[in-house]
Amino acid sequence: MDKSAGPFRCIVIAALLAAALSGCAGRPEGVLVPAAAGAAETKGISKVDVLVATTRRPSETPGVLFSGERDKTPSVTEISVSIPPDSVRKIGEVQWPKKIVADPTKEFATLSVTPLSPQRANEWLRGNLPKSRRVMVFVHGFNNRYDDAVYRFAQIVHDSGTDVAPVLFTWPSRGSIFAYNYDKESTNYSRDALEDMLSRLSKDSQVSEVTIMAHSMGSWLTVEALRQMAIRDGRVAPKITNVILASPDLDVDVFTNQFSALGPKHPKFTLFVSRDDRALNLSRRISGNIDRLGQVDPTVEPYRTEFEKAGITVLDLTALKGNDPLNHGKFASSPDVVKLIGNRLIAGQEVTDSDVGLGERLGAVALGTAQTVGSAASVAVSTPISIFDPRTRRNYAEQVDRFGRAIGNTAESAIVP
């Protein structure tokens, strides 16, 4: 048997899995061509305006706008996206146009595309800040085209119902299953530009807080930019209060060093992890078999103790069923998770066991034998999201202790007449 068949087969499998993740098959190219005026006036259609900063090179293809190649100078564009009524779409999904000219009543559609100068970008920000004056920056992951990032972020903003000015940072990903190394180097190429953008947002007197959400390989870019900022300025800008890393494609050893470099006055970190993330399992295999941050089990050591010491909140989505075959995009596709992002995380509030019912289920154990058994079973097999942070860990231990005492009291009352 040809010994080269094994590695070649792995490459083929990897390509097939990545193709499943990308979900780009059959999509028309050029969907960012603006629709006709008045296309979003139908009742129920929503509109999301996004400020898009990129280090990609402009494309000559209409509706593509920017390619996967690198440009020397970052560009900024305002893009308005319409989203069909909730009655005809599933929350958590992007309804991709079947043709270049989209049907806004059933599909995502581009309403306008406006290139902006730095001054115009500042004006956009001032005009789009909500009462909270919060800004949310999204950094996409591997194998994403420009339009992928724009539509996905518009979906997250809409479905989460979050009260922010949405800013997308999109780096030069070729959107190819065979361009993993190129994409990784493109994140390194874009570190300075992201750091500069975050610094500008933080220095704007009208901005109160900045939350960063990064997915997959975009997590590497995000943490590296923050690390650079901490080294350059002595700390991360105080207005950057929250960092959310979803399915982070990050070597756990590297993240430990990056996080340490942020210093004691660092933003609040929240991680979305899933042990059944097949894309990160693949990344682990081609990256020296070192655990990826987005695939660890936060209940086992040394991770549990290290997360607690660092004050990092970890949301384990393993038991949550996603709608992509690789379980790599649960954070955006689950209605419950996107609402949690909008209602709690971006607002800077703590997320604990009670937010997902864990505390309530454990708290019911003292009501009687039947409740005790049911509650114990629900904790073991039914909780879709497990939260692991210092406060939850203490609550969990205390409530389990009460659970044990309730069992003992129930047993004693059954024996003693």
Side-chain angles (χ1 to χ4, degrees), residues 134 209 211 241-242 268 341 343-351:
R134 293 192 185 99
E209 295 180 1
T211 292
T241 54
N242 299 294
K268 170 65 178 176
I341 291 170
N343 295 338
R344 302 301 299 272
L345 293 178
I346 295 174
Q349 300 178 30
E350 284 191 47
V351 177

Side-chain angles (χ1 to χ4, degrees), residues 67-121:
S67 70
E69 303 307 304
R70 302 161 186 161
D71 201 21
K72 293 182 179 180
T73 305
S75 302
V76 182
T77 307
E78 175 193 359
I79 299 181
S80 181
V81 177
S82 72
I83 298 175
D86 291 345
S87 59
V88 299
R89 64 180 294 263
K90 291 183 178 180
I91 303 300
E93 293 185 3
V94 175
Q95 286 67 38
W96 278 90
K98 296 179 174 61
K99 300 178 181 179
I100 290 179
V101 180
D103 179 355
T105 64
K106 299 178 181 179
E107 305 163 331
F108 278 52
T110 304
L111 300 178
S112 65
V113 175
T114 309
L116 300 179
S117 65
Q119 181 178 349
R120 292 279 309 281

Side-chain angles (χ1 to χ4, degrees), residues 10-293:
C10 289
I11 292 173
V12 171
I13 292 174
L16 291 174
L17 290 178
L21 174 63
S22 67
C24 293
R27 293 183 190 170
E29 187 178 66
V31 297
L32 297 181
V33 171
E41 293 180 359
T42 303
K43 185 178 179 180
I45 290 179
S46 303
K47 186 178 75 166
V48 177
D49 292 325
V50 181
L51 187 70
V52 187
T54 186
T55 48
R56 297 174 184 256
R57 183 185 304 167
S59 170
E60 296 180 357
T61 304
V64 173
L65 300 187
F66 291 89
S67 70
E69 303 307 304
R70 302 161 186 161
D71 201 21
K72 293 182 179 180
T73 305
S75 302
V76 182
T77 307
E78 175 193 359
I79 299 181
S80 181
V81 177
S82 72
I83 298 175
D86 291 345
S87 59
V88 299
R89 64 180 294 263
K90 291 183 178 180
I91 303 300
E93 293 185 3
V94 175
Q95 286 67 38
W96 278 90
K98 296 179 174 61
K99 300 178 181 179
I100 290 179
V101 180
D103 179 355
T105 64
K106 299 178 181 179
E107 305 163 331
F108 278 52
T110 304
L111 300 178
S112 65
V113 175
T114 309
L116 300 179
S117 65
Q119 181 178 349
R120 292 279 309 281
N122 289 335
E123 293 172 0
W124 182 94
L125 182 65
R126 301 291 179 91
N128 285 270
L129 281 173
K131 290 183 179 180
S132 67
R133 298 189 291 121
R134 293 192 185 99
V135 174
M136 178 180 178
V137 176
F138 180 63
V139 185
H140 63 78
F142 164 65
N143 192 22
N144 268 232
R145 303 181 316 199
Y146 185 86
D147 56 0
D148 291 329
V150 170
Y151 276 14
R152 173 56 77 184
F153 187 38
Q155 174 259 310
I156 293 172
V157 172
H158 174 269
D159 290 350
S160 67
T162 186
D163 186 33
V164 294
V167 177
L168 168 65
F169 184 88
T170 171
W171 47 274
S173 167
R174 283 180 172 167
S176 168
I177 58 178
F178 300 106
Y180 187 90
N181 288 333
Y182 173 86
D183 278 17
K184 184 62 176 290
E185 293 304 324
S186 289
T187 62
N188 293 330
Y189 178 82
S190 303
R191 285 178 296 190
D192 290 350
L194 178 57
E195 180 195 355
D196 181 66
M197 188 188 80
L198 294 174
S199 294
R200 289 174 181 271
L201 289 172
S202 300
K203 292 176 182 176
D204 192 312
S205 61
Q206 298 300 310
V207 174
S208 64
E209 295 180 1
V210 177
T211 292
I212 309 171
M213 172 179 283
H215 180 226
S216 189
M217 192 180 285
S219 299
W220 162 265
L221 168 57
T222 296
V223 182
E224 274 293 283
L226 294 175
R227 174 179 172 273
Q228 283 189 177
M229 180 185 290
I231 293 173
R232 193 186 313 275
D233 301 334
R235 63 165 299 173
V236 175
K239 286 185 180 180
I240 302 176
T241 54
N242 299 294
V243 177
I244 304 168
L245 304 182
S247 308
D249 188 1
L250 258 170
D251 181 310
V252 292
D253 296 333
V254 174
F255 175 72
T256 299
N257 287 342
Q258 290 173 316
F259 189 81
S260 177
L262 300 183
K265 296 181 179 180
H266 55 72
K268 170 65 178 176
F269 271 72
T270 301
L271 311 181
F272 288 101
V273 303
S274 186
R275 296 189 301 279
D276 62 350
D277 190 321
R278 297 167 67 193
L280 291 185
N281 185 50
L282 203 61
S283 176
R284 182 178 186 271
R285 290 176 180 272
I286 64 177
S287 301
N289 212 34
I290 302 296
D291 286 345
R292 313 312 286 173
L293 184 63

